Amino acid sequence: GAGVSQSPRYKVAKRGQDVALRCDPISGHVSLFWYQQALGQGPEFLTYFQNEAQLDKSGLPSDRFFAERPEGSVSTLKIQRTQQEDSAVYLCASSPPGIPYNSPLHFGNGTRLTVT
Amino acid sequence: AQRVTQPEKLLSVFKGAPVELKCNYSYSGSPELFWYVQYSRQRLQLLLRHISRESIKGFTADLNKGETSFHLKKPFAQEEDSAMYYCALSGLTGGGNKLTFGTGTQLKVEL
């Protein structure tokens, strides 16, 4: 069916507000990734799930960032007390089962977060 | 630590001219390299990966471990090749396909 779906496409938050970004991966994809892409930069890894297990969260920039995937499908990235430096495009990607290090990533369109 | 360097932010070529987008990497182990592309108003998508040794849309990339490079090449540029290109590296860790991306090169093919 459809590819990776992210919502909302655009989010404007006032500094200090909490935001929640949603990712709906391709059906059957066990691996799910979140990336942050600042203006003029390449995507930077935030966190990785295999099914419902968060196996790597080494890229989360602070404890204000939290991600979950409770049933192994839809994932939510939550940012608490947003700061201006959080302004970026947040990309979600999923990949099919297989040899993990060379499975292609399928990206969503991203959520552009602007913190004012 | 893993690092990917794309030295050119913008590359402008004429239609029919050869294209080479440069990518250098730093990684202590055995890397897996990829090129991803983002066309205007579209999502980021895989173009090719070195393990497949394939040619996609006329593009090829050869992994040169001695020079730690994975440059993307095409002999004759087409207008539809205009896009943002990202080189990416995946290390053999337990973290799935945890990609490290370069900063990207905007390719502009002029008529």
Side-chain angles (χ1 to χ4, degrees):
Chain A
V4 177
S5 177
Q6 291 187 247
S7 61
R9 285 297 307 276
Y10 304 93
K11 176 70 180 177
V12 178
K14 283 188 164 51
R15 189 173 147 208
Q17 280 185 332
D18 297 349
V19 298
L21 312 180
R22 176 188 167 105
C23 173
D24 204 334
I26 293 172
S27 177
H29 282 195
V30 301
S31 297
L32 185 145
F33 302 80
W34 283 98
Y35 284 83
Q36 180 191 57
Q37 186 172 20
L39 191 63
Q41 301 297 314
E44 292 199 6
F45 172 83
L46 292 177
T47 187
Y48 160 61
F49 289 86
Q50 187 167 327
N51 295 306
E52 68 279 3
Q54 189 174 20
L55 298 185
D56 189 337
K57 54 182 180 179
S58 61
L60 296 177
S62 77
D63 58 8
R64 296 186 295 104
F65 286 70
F66 172 76
E68 60 183 5
R69 193 186 185 197
E71 296 176 2
S73 55
V74 171
S75 177
T76 304
L77 177 66
K78 298 179 180 177
I79 309 173
Q80 297 177 321
R81 305 182 303 283
T82 52
Q83 304 293 314
Q84 281 194 313
E85 61 263 28
D86 300 336
S87 295
V89 175
Y90 290 85
L91 296 169
C92 178
S94 67
S95 69
I99 301 172
Y101 53 82
N102 63 23
S103 292
L105 293 191
H106 298 259
F107 282 87
N109 280 316
T111 294
R112 182 178 297 277
L113 173 64
T114 303
V115 181
T116 61
Chain B
Q2 301 176 195
R3 190 168 65 246
V4 176
T5 303
Q6 294 181 252
E8 303 141 327
K9 288 192 83 68
L10 173 66
L11 182 64
S12 188
V13 301
F14 286 107
K15 180 181 173 181
V19 174
E20 183 179 52
L21 300 172
K22 291 186 167 48
C23 172
N24 288 88
Y25 67 90
S26 173
Y27 183 63
S28 56
S30 183
E32 298 293 335
L33 278 299
F34 304 80
W35 277 97
Y36 279 79
V37 61
Q38 188 166 27
Y39 300 102
S40 180
R41 298 191 193 87
Q42 294 187 28
R43 61 190 66 195
L44 193 60
Q45 58 186 285
L46 178 69
L47 178 63
L48 58 78
R49 44 187 161 171
H50 100 268
I51 198 169
S52 301
R53 301 186 187 283
E54 57 203 343
S55 172
I56 302 293
K57 299 184 179 182
F59 284 98
T60 58
D62 290 319
L63 178 61
N64 185 324
K65 290 188 178 180
E67 296 182 358
T68 59
S69 69
F70 188 57
H71 303 326
L72 184 67
K73 299 177 184 179
K74 184 170 182 177
F76 308 105
Q78 302 298 313
E79 193 181 354
E80 57 266 27
D81 296 330
S82 294
M84 192 73 175
Y85 291 81
Y86 293 95
C87 183
L89 162 70
S90 176
L92 295 180
T93 72
N97 197 352
K98 180 178 169 180
L99 294 178
T100 299
F101 286 86
T103 51
T105 298
Q106 179 75 46
L107 175 63
K108 185 176 177 184
V109 180
E110 300 184 74
L111 299 176

